[in-house]
Amino acid sequence: MPREIPVRAVITVIECLSDRHYRVSLPNGKEIVAHLERRAPATWRGLPAGVRLIGELSPYDFEHARVAGFAPADR
């Protein structure tokens, strides 16, 4: 069975829920929960509100996201 390709979007941290879980906002304004991988660097933990990240969402479930990295800075 082929692996599903994740949908990538720029997400913005609204609040830190725990060490690895965040409430984030999608570009369309919807708020969801995003999590860090266990292998994520320790420097990624405890991100402040307003940080823009790249989130990966399953094409079947837009309620949860996985943090894939930091979004490029606006120019």
Side-chain angles (χ1 to χ4, degrees):
M1 187 167 153
R3 187 172 179 176
E4 62 188 40
I5 298 172
V7 176
R8 296 186 117 202
V10 175
I11 56 178
T12 305
V13 174
I14 297 172
E15 71 175 307
C16 181
L17 301 175
S18 71
D19 200 27
R20 289 194 168 108
H21 292 87
Y22 300 92
R23 182 170 319 282
V24 299
S25 168
L26 294 173
N28 65 359
K30 183 175 180 178
E31 294 182 8
I32 62 171
V33 175
H35 70 277
L36 293 176
E37 291 183 298
R38 290 183 184 166
R39 299 179 311 221
T43 56
W44 287 16
R45 296 186 182 144
L47 297 170
V51 173
R52 291 171 32 122
L53 305 166
I54 300 293
E56 291 183 346
L57 297 95
S58 164
Y60 306 109
D61 180 15
F62 287 127
E63 296 297 320
H64 301 89
R66 180 171 53 93
V67 175
F70 287 92
D74 291 332
R75 293 177 189 212

